[in-house]
Amino acid sequence: MSPAPTLAVTGATGRLGGRVARRIAASGTPQTLVVRDPARAPQLPGARAVPGSFGDREAVREALRGVDRVLMVSASESADRVREHRVFVDAAVEAGVAHLVYVSFQGASPEAAFTLARDHWATEQHIRASGLGFTFLRDNLYADFMPGLVGEDGIIRGPAGRGRAAVVTQDDIAEAAVAVLSDAPRHLGATYDLTGPEALGLDEVAALLSDHLGREIAYRPETVEEAYASRRSFGAPDWQLDAWVSTYTAIAAGELAAVSDAVPRLTGHPATSLDQLLRLDGAELA
């Protein structure tokens, strides 16, 4: 009888990686949590936390030594993220990892309207070239973050036009990731678009938020120029401004409107809608 595969999860101190790690722990499966600071890692049965910042090749190589399957939750947004991803992937190869499950973004391509989707494409290409077995989970926008789009005045502003997005819950993504990690050979080389059950315009998102948050929320389209002007006051670097604004232009371009059946196929239950998420007691909304 062959030994059970060993699992590692990155990002366990965050929202998505933490959800995956908790589900793995609940199943009784041992896992390694690769985190920047082990002291901040969640205390979970069967889990050991080890240091491994994405850009630290030696630390990642040591953290992943003897690990068969790794969930790579993309690093925090930064101007240097693609380089950090490449370092992590190269270290995984050196550590002998057999299968890398990478959390990417729907519509990842070198020409994507959403600038960070281009970073995800570059990372996917590096993983392909590395020779690692892989599965790509291309998430739509997080449904959990929709309340965070609302300004203090109750307005969602952005150059999304009348485009739509098939927003997906983090719980559904986490369940899909666990399903892939648990039966990785069946998903070797696959790319899954993880979406909610329907594509919504931001006016529909605003209406749902109004219903569930008990205050009037509205969507007000901006031009691209207005979007940059309204966000420059935050003092963010140019790459971050581009990412913020292009989130909306990707919606306008129709790049996030396609609805996939990957969540129900992987999890065995229907994808959760934004309406259902907002109805959940204690939902972790941004």
Side-chain angles (χ1 to χ4, degrees), residues 149-150 154-164 201-207 209-210 216-223 231 248-249 251-252:
L149 301 181
V150 182
I155 305 297
I156 298 174
R157 291 180 173 84
R162 295 300 166 187
R164 309 174 79 80
L202 291 188
D203 54 341
E204 294 171 300
V205 170
L209 292 174
S210 296
E216 187 64 30
I217 307 295
Y219 165 53
R220 187 171 299 166
E222 291 179 307
T223 66
R231 290 159 175 79
Y248 295 92
T249 57
I251 296 174

Side-chain angles (χ1 to χ4, degrees), residues 228-241 244:
Y228 274 100
S230 67
R231 290 159 175 79
R232 284 200 177 96
S233 62
F234 293 101
D238 287 347
W239 70 265
Q240 185 71 74
L241 286 173
W244 287 345

Side-chain angles (χ1 to χ4, degrees), residues 107-151:
S109 82
E111 294 87 25
F114 181 38
T115 54
L116 298 185
R118 303 171 197 170
D119 292 351
H120 285 294
W121 171 258
T123 301
E124 288 184 2
Q125 293 303 99
H126 192 72
I127 293 170
R128 291 179 186 276
S130 75
L132 281 168
F134 67 85
T135 305
F136 298 145
L137 304 179
R138 290 182 170 181
D139 305 342
N140 203 285
L141 296 175
Y142 293 159
D144 312 64
F145 285 6
M146 290 301 101
L149 301 181
V150 182

Side-chain angles (χ1 to χ4, degrees), residues 140-214:
N140 203 285
L141 296 175
Y142 293 159
D144 312 64
F145 285 6
M146 290 301 101
L149 301 181
V150 182
E152 292 183 0
D153 57 358
I155 305 297
I156 298 174
R157 291 180 173 84
R162 295 300 166 187
R164 309 174 79 80
V167 297
V168 62
T169 68
Q170 290 179 310
D171 279 333
D172 281 353
I173 297 167
E175 288 189 37
V178 172
V180 170
L181 288 167
S182 301
D183 193 10
R186 191 164 71 88
H187 305 286
L188 184 65
T191 298
Y192 296 110
D193 286 342
L194 302 184
T195 76
E198 60 186 346
L200 300 170
L202 291 188
D203 54 341
E204 294 171 300
V205 170
L208 286 168
L209 292 174
S210 296
D211 289 343
H212 292 285
L213 300 183

Side-chain angles (χ1 to χ4, degrees), residues 12 14-15 17-27 31 42 44 171 284:
R15 290 173 180 265
R19 282 171 162 83
V20 174
R22 289 193 294 272
R23 283 168 169 78
I24 292 173
S27 74
Q31 63 182 315
L44 299 171
D171 279 333
E284 295 182 7

